[in-house]
Amino acid sequence: MARRPAPALVAVSLLVLALLNLDAARGQPLPPTNSSDAAALHAVFRQWRLEGDTAGVVDPCLMPVLSESSMMNASIDCDCSRGDECRITHLNVTGYRNITEIPPALFNLTELVSLDLSNNNLSGSIPPGVGNLSKLETWHFNNNHLNGSFPRELSLLRNLQSLWMFDNYIEGSIPEFIQNLTNLTDLRIYGMKLQGPIPNFFSNLINLEHLMLGDLEGKHSSFDFIANWANLSTLSLRKCGLTTQLPNTLPTLPKLKYLDLRSNNLSGAIRLLLPYKNSEYIYVGENNFSGPLPAEFVRPSVPLDVSYNPSVNGRLPNKPAGQNWLINYIGTSIDTSGTIDRSNNPELPSHERMQQN
Ligand SMILES: *[C@@H]1O[C@H](CO)[C@@H](O)[C@H](O)[C@H]1NC(C)=O
Ligand SMILES: *[C@@H]1O[C@H](CO)[C@@H](O)[C@H](O)[C@H]1NC(C)=O
Ligand SMILES: *[C@@H]1O[C@H](CO)[C@@H](O)[C@H](O)[C@H]1NC(C)=O
Ligand SMILES: *[C@@H]1O[C@H](CO)[C@@H](O)[C@H](O)[C@H]1NC(C)=O
Ligand SMILES: *[C@@H]1O[C@H](CO)[C@@H](O)[C@H](O)[C@H]1NC(C)=O
Ligand SMILES: *[C@@H]1O[C@H](CO)[C@@H](O)[C@H](O)[C@H]1NC(C)=O
Ligand SMILES: *[C@@H]1O[C@H](CO)[C@@H](O)[C@H](O)[C@H]1NC(C)=O
Ligand SMILES: *[C@@H]1O[C@H](CO)[C@@H](O)[C@H](O)[C@H]1NC(C)=O
Ligand SMILES: *[C@@H]1O[C@H](CO)[C@@H](O)[C@H](O)[C@H]1NC(C)=O
Ligand SMILES: *[C@@H]1O[C@H](CO)[C@@H](O)[C@H](O)[C@H]1NC(C)=O
Ligand SMILES: *[C@@H]1O[C@H](CO)[C@@H](O)[C@H](O)[C@H]1NC(C)=O
Ligand SMILES: *[C@@H]1O[C@H](CO)[C@@H](O)[C@H](O)[C@H]1NC(C)=O
């Protein structure tokens, strides 16, 4: 049987820790963690078996980092600015493949602003308790095994800015309530079992900077959900069942840097995409575009994928010597006149590479 430390010893240790942990800015000791937050975190970490000797002994905000490595992270951040107590505002537990459950106590951490549980092995469905975390701005649950549909309670997280759910098994249609989360700047939902269409009211999401949707089944979508988003820099709509003809006037996306429309069945003249010619990535392969490939798209340093668009034609210019130029043109009618090294059929950067940016 393990010996429990004497209460007096624990009290002295706590005092020493509190004295050592001076707030650098003010030279003041940190106040204690709110007892409700501390109890909830303790319950969560106990269920995940992440606490060692410190369980219930060290105040959580005095030891915010449990583990930090390229493989696994377990840490919190606290807001101690109120002076009399600290509140837990960030919880990051990532990379633990042995973590499979979402503990109910997690939803007692009601001051959380950021919750990153990506790259674990969480399974089952998302509990309705998420509705109690109404201050959340960051929700990263990507790369888990979550299933079921998006719970209605997610609609209560009106402050969400970053919602990452990619690479799970969530099913059902894309929830309409997302259109109400107008603070969203970063929405990534692909690699799941979701059904189209993409709701037209997504055009409300005027603050979007990164939109990555993909792998949708079911009903087809048109381009109508894309508005003149002033800040959009990533538009990735791979396999979204976009089957329409491109409109003659595309939405104005002045900040666009990454355009990925691969694997839809969009049609119309490829020159209609010219408003996006300054994008630093142009992936429009596996569609049904037609007509000559505009020279503006063919720029050294801009990865270009026009493959498998049977009716796209034109000529590719000489490949400049020494340039690391990524072009995918297989399966099109493009005339390369032997000017391009035909062995140059590289893997273009993928969603996964994008996430590092
Ligand atoms: C701690 O947090 C709970 C739950 O948010 C709150 O009701 C309570 O007033 C806070 N402060 C203390 C000292 O418990
Ligand atoms: C979570 O909050 C509920 C309701 O306030 C309380 O009954 C429960 O004991 C709390 N759980 C933990 C682990 O703190
Ligand atoms: C998961 O693995 C970590 C690190 O190896 C370990 O500390 C923890 O106790 C494990 N948790 C569970 C639930 O097995
Ligand atoms: C926790 O994750 C958020 C969002 O992923 C990140 O901004 C923050 O720096 C991380 N905090 C810690 C302590 O790792
Ligand atoms: C852990 O955090 C470090 C530094 O913030 C980061 O480089 C690393 O990718 C993170 N690992 C995981 C598994 O999230
Ligand atoms: C993830 O959890 C599933 C059960 O949901 C289990 O079969 C699988 O082995 C786990 N994966 C890892 C890497 O632990
Ligand atoms: C939120 O917490 C309160 C009490 O703390 C509880 O009564 C309510 O059911 C919770 N809501 C959800 C959606 O879990
Ligand atoms: C979700 O996965 C769990 C096991 O991880 C399974 O028991 C449950 O039936 C699944 N639910 C759905 C809706 O697929
Ligand atoms: C959205 O962001 C603005 C500006 O940061 C903020 O004032 C507002 O409270 C946030 N939440 C909602 C629901 O609009
Ligand atoms: C969006 O918000 C409006 C106004 O708050 C509400 O009436 C509507 O039901 C919400 N829509 C969805 C799909 O949640
Ligand atoms: C776009 O970004 C700018 C600068 O960060 C910001 O002021 C603005 O509110 C953002 N949203 C829109 C819709 O322009
Ligand atoms: C793409 O759309 C064309 C009509 O524009 C249709 O003939 C063709 O079968 C579609 N291809 C696929 C793979 O859906």
Side-chain angles (χ1 to χ4, degrees):
M1 219 174 95
R3 264 183 58 212
R4 292 170 59 184
L9 188 57
V10 172
V12 169
S13 316
L14 275 175
L15 185 64
V16 169
L17 275 166
L19 290 175
L20 286 179
N21 198 80
L22 296 182
D23 180 333
R26 297 178 301 158
Q28 302 268 319
L30 284 180
T33 306
N34 171 289
S35 56
S36 160
D37 284 1
L41 187 74
H42 179 43
V44 169
F45 279 6
R46 192 173 49 221
Q47 190 163 341
W48 288 341
R49 296 186 25 212
L50 290 184
E51 286 179 317
D53 303 339
T54 59
V57 176
V58 180
D59 186 278
C61 293
L62 291 185
M63 216 185 85
V65 179
L66 273 186
S67 152
E68 190 170 25
S69 74
S70 58
M71 301 298 295
M72 298 174 184
N73 286 318
S75 65
I76 59 169
D77 274 342
C78 299
D79 175 5
C80 303
S81 63
R82 249 184 57 172
D84 58 338
E85 61 174 10
C86 295
R87 299 302 305 251
I88 298 175
T89 54
H90 294 63
L91 175 62
N92 293 5
V93 175
T94 57
Y96 286 84
R97 291 299 175 188
N98 61 0
I99 286 184
T100 58
E101 290 173 342
I102 301 179
L106 181 65
F107 305 116
N108 283 17
L109 293 169
T110 49
E111 293 293 309
L112 280 181
V113 171
S114 170
L115 179 55
D116 185 349
L117 299 182
S118 56
N119 294 292
N120 296 308
N121 196 3
L122 297 173
S123 61
S125 54
I126 303 171
V130 299
N132 274 5
L133 305 183
S134 57
K135 299 203 171 163
L136 277 184
E137 294 172 2
T138 300
W139 168 279
H140 290 179
F141 274 65
N142 51 287
N143 298 91
N144 279 292
H145 294 168
L146 293 166
N147 66 6
S149 46
F150 278 109
R152 174 106 219 125
E153 288 75 9
L154 265 183
S155 68
L156 301 172
L157 309 188
R158 299 295 294 269
N159 293 303
L160 272 187
Q161 293 171 12
S162 183
L163 171 53
W164 293 9
M165 273 303 299
F166 52 91
D167 295 334
N168 276 290
Y169 300 104
I170 303 289
E171 59 193 27
S173 49
I174 299 181
E176 299 236 326
F177 65 74
I178 290 182
Q179 74 205 25
N180 275 358
L181 305 178
T182 46
N183 274 8
L184 278 176
T185 58
D186 192 338
L187 176 61
R188 306 187 185 195
I189 44 181
Y190 55 85
M192 301 199 287
K193 303 199 295 186
L194 290 175
Q195 306 277 321
I198 302 165
N200 278 352
F201 284 116
F202 263 42
S203 54
N204 291 348
L205 301 175
I206 56 167
N207 290 304
L208 281 176
E209 292 166 17
H210 304 284
L211 178 62
M212 302 179 81
L213 305 175
D215 309 297
L216 302 181
E217 297 168 2
K219 296 228 178 66
H220 293 155
S221 303
S222 69
F223 243 56
D224 298 346
F225 68 93
I226 306 175
N228 297 330
W229 288 319
N231 289 344
L232 195 78
S233 87
T234 304
L235 181 64
S236 177
L237 302 170
R238 215 177 268 197
K239 287 196 198 150
C240 280
L242 302 170
T243 54
T244 46
Q245 178 115 12
L246 280 183
N248 280 328
T249 312
L250 284 171
T252 317
L253 304 172
K255 298 258 180 74
L256 193 67
K257 283 205 168 71
Y258 183 100
L259 175 68
D260 189 345
L261 301 174
R262 265 162 99 168
S263 308
N264 287 292
N265 197 4
L266 287 163
S267 55
I270 194 166
R271 69 172 160 72
L272 290 174
L273 290 168
L274 272 174
Y276 305 144
K277 67 181 192 311
N278 292 327
S279 180
E280 291 164 17
Y281 299 80
I282 300 175
Y283 301 151
V284 297
E286 293 185 54
N287 277 294
N288 207 4
F289 291 121
S290 54
L293 177 68
E296 289 91 331
F297 289 149
V298 187
R299 285 186 290 146
S301 86
V302 173
L304 174 69
D305 175 15
V306 291
S307 62
Y308 300 107
N309 280 282
S311 310
V312 170
N313 56 56
R315 271 190 79 157
L316 285 176
N318 287 324
K319 181 184 170 179
Q323 292 270 12
N324 183 21
W325 196 2
L326 302 173
I327 299 187
N328 246 346
Y329 57 88
I330 30 174
T332 61
S333 330
I334 289 175
D335 174 13
T336 59
S337 306
T339 53
I340 284 203
D341 177 6
R342 283 178 180 275
S343 65
N344 178 18
N345 177 21
E347 256 308 296
L348 294 161
S350 62
H351 273 159
E352 287 63 40
R353 285 267 290 282
M354 267 303 294
Q355 285 158 31
Q356 313 304 322
N357 297 341

